Amino acid sequence: MTFQRACGLSELEEDTPKRVELDGTPVSLVQTGGEVFAINDICSHANVSLSEGEVDDCHIECWLHGSRFDLRSGKPDALPATRPVPVYPVKIEGDDVLVSLTQES
């Protein structure tokens, strides 16, 4: 598994998604509850950036239609989305947030 630097940990605000692009893949980084998650930034229901949505209880909500995705699994738990979005492994080294584009789910 190859990890690459996505951003600095100090660049993340609690419960505020940050969009980054890694090798052409849009990724939303979210720091919540003391953990950092990386999830594909495109809603599986519509071609909309999830990083523009809100984070609550380890979920990110698509601002356009209200679909919610679990940051741990990428699975939707609110319609209209029915397909999961990819999530990616994250590790922290010092102030660096490292992400592998190898999908966990």
Side-chain angles (χ1 to χ4, degrees):
M1 196 175 309
T2 303
F3 284 84
Q4 57 187 303
R5 186 180 189 280
C7 72
L9 185 59
S10 58
E11 296 175 53
L12 298 178
E13 296 179 37
E14 185 77 9
D15 295 332
T16 301
K18 177 179 179 67
R19 181 185 168 109
V20 298
E21 200 162 298
L22 301 172
D23 294 336
T25 300
V27 176
S28 182
L29 299 172
V30 179
Q31 181 177 9
T32 187
E35 293 185 71
V36 177
F37 299 93
I39 188 167
N40 190 284
D41 193 46
I42 304 302
C43 178
S44 63
H45 170 256
N47 190 20
V48 175
S49 175
L50 291 175
S51 63
E52 295 177 28
E54 294 185 12
V55 174
D56 181 48
D57 193 29
C58 213
H59 288 79
I60 191 165
E61 182 175 317
C62 178
W63 63 270
L64 185 59
H65 297 117
S67 295
R68 285 173 33 104
F69 299 91
D70 189 307
L71 291 168
R72 297 163 292 223
S73 68
K75 293 179 181 174
D77 70 355
L79 295 173
T82 58
R83 291 176 293 128
V85 293
V87 296
Y88 308 106
V90 175
K91 66 181 180 179
I92 309 298
E93 290 183 357
D95 185 53
D96 292 332
V97 177
L98 306 174
V99 175
S100 174
L101 291 181
T102 302
Q103 297 178 18
E104 286 188 342
S105 65

